[in-house]
Amino acid sequence: MQTQLFINGAYVDAASGETFDVLAPATEQVLARVARAGAEDVGVAVAAARTGAKAWQALTPAAREACLLKAADLVAAQGMERLLDILIDESGSVINKARMEVRYTVDLLRTAAGEARRLYGETFPNDNPSRISMVMREPLGVVAVISPYNAPLSLLTKMLAFPLAAGNAIVVKPSEETPLIALALAEILHEAGFPDGVVNVITGFGAECGAPLTNHPGINCIALTGSTTTGKLVGAQAMQRMLKTQLELGGKSAVLILADADPVKAANIVAQGIFTHSGQICMANSRAIVERSIYPELVDAIIAICRAMPIGPLRDESSVYGPLINRKAVEKVQAIVDDAVSKGATLLYGGKVRDGLVYEPTILANVPHSCLAWREELFGPVLCISAADGIEDAVSQANDADYGLSSAVLTRDIAKAMYAAKHLEAGAVHIGMHAFQSNALAPIGGSKLSGIGRSGGAYSTEEFTEVKWISMELNPDV
Ligand code: NAD
C-alpha cells in the first residue's frame, strides 16, 4: 500500500517523490509506504489552506455545523470496521482501546459542531453615553495541527474539530508513526463536505515538514500534542512571530490512594490508569502514592493483577495492551527501569521485554525521587509505587514532579479529597477514579512542563479565535 499527501481536496505525491515506511508495531513489518513531505509541500499546503479559510469563513455557522455532524455520522458508520483496523495495525492498539478512540472521536465531532454556533462576542459599558463598545470573536486563519502517535485518531480529532468549528482552515502533520489514520480521517472530512483546502494533511518527519510548517509565515496558530522536548522547540519558534500556541505535552501523573480505600478495588483502578495502551497515555498515572497502612495490601493486589494480566493478540477482546510503538520506545523504557534499579529502586514485578515490542507490566518501589523513573515520562507500562505518611505527605510527593498534566485521589473522605484537589499541581484532579479521563467539554491541558492552553468545548473555541474591540461613536463629527 502506498499513500499520498492530501492537499486542496486532492491526493498528490510529495514534491521530492520520496516515501518512508510505516511499520506495524505488532509485527515490525512494513504496513505502508507513505509520501515524505518537505518544505515545498508545506508551502503548497499552506497556500491551499489560506484560500480554503476564506471559503470556509464565508459559510454560515449552520453549514460548518452540518459538515462536522456529517463527519461524526460517517465515523460512527465506518469507524468500527475500517478505522478500527487501521488503529490496531498502525498504532498497536488493542481492540477495546481502538473502540474507545472511535467513540470519543464521534463525541468530539458532535461537540465541536455545537461550538460552530457559539462564537459569542459581547458588549461592555462605556461612560460616554454616545459610545458603544463591543467585542467580536474571529477565527485566526490557518492552524498547524501537529499530532502524536498514541491516540492518533481521537487526539487528532480533538485538535482539528474545534479550530474548524471556529472557522479556521488547517494543515495537519500527523506523527510519522501513524499517518494512515490521519489520511483516513481527512477522507471522511472530505466526504462530509468540507470545501477543498480547508483540511490538508502532509505526512512526514518533524524536522523535515513539521518545522517548516510551524515556521511558515502563512500559519496563524500552532496546536501541538507531543513531547515536552518538541513543545519547547516549537513554542520558542512560535514566540518569534508571537503566534498563539496550544501545547499539550508530557505527563507524570500521580494517583493517591488513601488509607480508607479498599486495596483490591484501588489496585484495579490504579492498574487501569497505568497499563491501558501499554502506558502510552499522556495522563497515565505512572506514580502511585499510597498511605502506609494499606501499602502492603495494595502492593500485593497490584502484583496479582500484573501476574494475571492478559497481554494477547490485539484483536482479542480480553487483551489489556499490546506492543510499544517502536524499538526506540522499548529501549527508552528499559534504560530508565535499569537506571532506577541501579540507583536503589526495588523491582517488584516485570522489568523486561516479554515478546517483540511488548514490555511486561512493571512495578518499581522505593524509587529515589531524583531518578528518571520518578521524574521523566517513560510512556511505557511502568508504575512507581511509594508509601506516604498522611495526605499532606502524599500531595507533597505527588507535587515533587516537573510535569502537571493530571492526577487522581482514591478515597471516600470528602475533606481529604478536596485538600488534594486544592493542592495538587496539575491540570486535572479526578476523585474516586484514575488519572486518565476524557470528556469532550472538559478543559484538558497541563500545568508546569505539561503544556500551555486548554482544549475541549468552549475552551478550545477560546484558543482558536481572537477577540477584537469595536467601539462606535453614535454622533460622529466626521
Ligand atoms: P513527539 O514530540 O515526538 O512528536 C509529536 C509530533 O511533533 C509528531 O507529529 C512529530 O513529527 C512532530 N515534531 C517533532 N519534531 C518537530 C519539530 N521540530 N517541529 C514540528 N513538529 C515536530 O511526541 P510523540 O512521541 O509522537 O507522542 C508522545 C508524547 O505526546 C508524549 O510525551 C505524550 O505525553 C504526549 N501527549 C500529550 C497529550 C496531552 O494531552 N497533553 C496527549 C497525548 C500525547
Side-chain angles (χ1 to χ4, degrees):
M1 174 186 182
Q2 184 151 340
T3 65
Q4 296 174 295
L5 313 178
F6 181 72
I7 299 177
N8 208 20
Y11 291 95
V12 291
D13 287 329
S16 65
E18 286 185 31
T19 60
F20 65 102
D21 289 342
V22 171
L23 306 185
T27 60
E28 295 184 80
Q29 299 297 308
V30 176
L31 195 61
R33 188 147 289 170
V34 175
R36 182 170 184 158
E40 196 177 334
D41 306 296
V42 167
V44 179
V46 174
R50 295 216 69 80
T51 309
K54 289 198 188 99
W56 188 229
Q57 284 159 24
L59 295 182
T60 62
R64 289 200 290 272
E65 178 197 54
C67 287
L68 285 156
L69 287 175
K70 174 83 176 156
D73 290 347
L74 290 170
V75 173
Q78 302 175 14
M80 289 304 176
E81 290 166 16
R82 183 164 160 252
L83 297 182
L84 219 57
D85 276 335
I86 301 174
L87 283 169
I88 292 169
D89 293 336
E90 184 183 43
S91 73
S93 300
V94 294
I95 192 159
N96 279 314
K97 182 265 186 181
R99 280 200 195 106
M100 187 168 73
E101 272 209 64
V102 172
R103 278 194 291 268
Y104 188 34
T105 296
V106 174
D107 192 27
L108 284 160
L109 288 165
R110 293 197 173 131
T111 306
E115 283 301 306
R117 291 183 189 257
R118 294 196 192 100
L119 301 186
Y120 298 134
E122 60 184 345
T123 61
F124 56 91
N126 199 314
D127 282 338
N128 183 336
S130 75
R131 294 208 172 160
I132 292 179
S133 271
M134 52 196 138
V135 175
M136 271 172 42
R137 184 171 293 281
E138 298 177 328
L140 299 170
V142 176
V143 179
V145 174
I146 302 184
S147 58
Y149 64 79
N150 61 324
L153 175 64
S154 57
L155 283 176
L156 174 57
T157 305
K158 181 150 79 79
M159 296 169 77
L160 62 72
F162 294 101
L164 287 172
N168 301 285
I170 54 170
V171 178
V172 174
K173 206 304 276 174
S175 166
E176 52 274 29
E177 304 288 349
T178 53
L180 303 181
I181 195 73
L183 290 166
L185 181 62
E187 198 181 312
I188 286 176
L189 295 175
H190 188 56
E191 196 184 332
F194 285 82
D196 292 349
V198 176
V199 177
N200 307 278
V201 180
I202 52 169
T203 51
F205 293 88
E208 292 176 8
C209 66
L213 176 61
T214 54
N215 286 316
H216 196 288
I219 292 294
N220 304 101
C221 172
I222 302 168
L224 167 88
T225 302
S227 63
T228 295
T229 307
T230 306
K232 282 181 180 173
L233 201 70
V234 168
Q237 286 162 351
M239 200 41 77
Q240 297 303 311
R241 291 192 292 126
M242 299 299 158
L243 287 192
K244 264 188 131 175
T245 54
Q246 185 187 58
L247 305 175
E248 304 214 347
L249 310 176
K252 192 74 198 174
S253 302
V255 52
L256 315 187
I257 303 102
L258 303 192
D260 67 308
D262 176 277
V264 174
K265 288 181 184 164
N268 273 300
I269 296 173
V270 172
Q272 211 187 338
I274 176 64
F275 297 122
T276 299
H277 199 42
S278 323
Q280 299 172 109
I281 299 282
C282 53
M283 301 178 219
N285 43 235
S286 49
R287 296 177 298 143
I289 300 165
V290 192
E291 276 203 273
R292 205 172 290 280
S293 61
I294 61 160
Y295 181 86
E297 280 176 278
L298 192 111
V299 165
D300 287 349
I302 206 143
I303 291 174
I305 292 169
C306 291
R307 278 212 179 91
M309 192 171 298
I311 305 171
L314 298 180
R315 286 176 171 78
D316 191 316
E317 291 291 339
S318 64
S319 286
V320 172
Y321 71 76
L324 294 177
I325 192 72
N326 56 31
R327 201 143 284 280
K328 206 170 131 210
V330 174
E331 285 164 8
K332 177 182 171 184
V333 171
Q334 190 66 63
I336 295 181
V337 169
D338 291 347
D339 172 73
V341 173
S342 77
K343 289 178 177 154
T346 313
L347 182 64
L348 295 178
Y349 193 83
K352 59 183 191 309
V353 172
R354 179 170 289 189
D355 181 27
L357 301 182
V358 176
Y359 201 84
E360 292 205 320
T362 295
I363 316 282
L364 289 169
N366 310 315
V367 180
H369 288 202
S370 56
C371 279
L372 285 175
W374 183 271
R375 308 210 77 79
E376 196 39 73
E377 184 181 48
L378 277 80
F379 234 47
V382 179
L383 178 71
C384 293
I385 193 159
S386 171
D389 296 306
I391 179 76
E392 286 175 21
D393 181 32
V395 168
S396 145
Q397 289 196 42
N399 288 343
D400 187 9
D402 309 314
Y403 294 101
L405 188 55
S406 188
S407 61
V409 52
L410 303 182
T411 181
R412 287 173 180 273
D413 184 324
I414 296 170
K416 285 184 178 164
M418 287 314 294
Y419 176 89
K422 190 160 185 260
H423 294 282
L424 282 167
E425 295 164 359
V429 180
H430 299 290
I431 299 167
M433 294 174 265
H434 55 70
F436 160 41
Q437 305 292 334
S438 298
N439 181 326
L441 289 168
I444 293 179
S447 56
K448 297 172 153 181
L449 291 185
S450 291
I452 296 175
R454 296 290 183 269
S455 70
Y459 301 95
S460 282
T461 302
E462 184 73 38
E463 299 277 342
F464 296 112
T465 55
E466 206 159 43
V467 289
K468 189 185 275 175
W469 174 32
I470 315 285
S471 70
M472 190 195 296
E473 168 59 56
L474 296 178
N475 301 305
D477 185 18
V478 290

